[in-house]
């Protein structure tokens, strides 16, 4: 049955505001405030591997990094945020809202670079969750995750986070001199209430022991709630 959207109106664009969570805070990228730490992360020992699936590349010098920094700080789409780990107070990553389409209520998370401070920890899950909660509160209908089809960790993350696999766009792009077949995933507004409940339960401090290990998986809460 076709959904009646006669009263649909374009949604507001996401704003440059702080998004607060228990474990992380997302701040709009500011070149002066965040530049040095972003450069440190971009040139860390394991940075080459972390740039493998990104569109940008590891900078060779601080001067090389400045044009990317200034362009990213000024960009409206992608809209860059940095991830602040609340436990340590350190900047621990960056991510964007991108391909922002207020007319149709569609938005994508991308350009994700999470350092070891948050990677594979509750903080990283919450960093993604804060974007999802924000855009659905703005009334968006569709939240997308896309990645190179060869990027298995990204595909596993999308599925764990509750994104539904939609298919492969073959020969979608040429990136860094290679063909990219793109795997598409999404969460839609009807799915979000159950996912929100699952995230809230999983992120609750009571779900983690003294060593910070989860007691129940996010997937367990999702299955329980039909998310």
């Amino acid at each position: 049955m076709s959904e009646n959207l006669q009263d649909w109106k374009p949604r507001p664009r996401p704003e440059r505001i702080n998004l607060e969570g228990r474990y992380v805070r997302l701040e709009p990228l500011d070149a002066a405030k965040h530049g040095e730490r972003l450069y440190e992360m971009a040139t860390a020992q394991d940075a080459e591997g972390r740039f493998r699936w990104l569109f940008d590349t590891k900078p060779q010098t601080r001067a090389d990094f400045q044009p990317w920094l200034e362009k990213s700080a000024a960009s409206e789409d992608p809209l860059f945020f940095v991830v602040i780990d609340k436990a340590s107070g350190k900047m621990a990553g960056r991510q964007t809202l991108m391909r922002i389409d207020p007319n149709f209520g569609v938005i994508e998370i991308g350009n994700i670079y999470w350092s070891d401070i948050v990677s594979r920890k509750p903080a990283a899950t919450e960093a993604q969750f804060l974007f999802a909660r924000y855009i659905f509160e703005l009334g968006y209908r569709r939240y997308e995750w896309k990645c190179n089809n060869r990027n298995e960790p990204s595909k596993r993350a999308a599925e764990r986070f509750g994104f539904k696999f939609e298919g492969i766009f073959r020969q979608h792009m040429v990136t860094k001199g290679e063909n990219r077949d793109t795997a598409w995933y999404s969460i839609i507004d009807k799915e979000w209430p159950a996912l929100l409940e699952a995230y809230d339960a999983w992120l609750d401090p009571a779900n983690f022991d003294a060593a910070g290990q989860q007691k129940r998986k996010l997937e367990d809460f999702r299955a329980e709630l039909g998310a």
Side-chain angles (χ1 to χ4, degrees), residues 17-27 81-95 114-115 117-131 133 202-203:
I17 60 174
N18 289 353
L19 300 175
E20 295 282 347
R22 286 192 180 98
Y23 307 104
V24 298
R25 178 176 64 257
L26 304 184
E27 296 181 359
F81 289 77
V82 298
V83 181
I84 307 298
D85 174 58
K86 287 189 168 183
S88 65
K90 294 181 179 179
M91 187 191 308
R94 44 106 162 168
Q95 58 193 55
W114 292 330
S115 76
I117 296 174
V118 296
S119 184
R120 295 180 294 278
K121 297 176 182 176
T125 296
E126 187 178 59
Q128 186 281 133
F129 163 73
L130 290 174
F131 265 5
R133 185 178 67 183
W202 187 81
L203 288 165

Side-chain angles (χ1 to χ4, degrees), residues 98-102 104-108 140-142 144:
M98 58 185 286
R99 302 187 186 279
I100 301 166
D101 189 341
F104 297 126
V106 180
I107 202 162
E108 178 182 345
Y140 279 71
R141 303 178 66 231
R142 177 179 167 87
E144 297 179 334

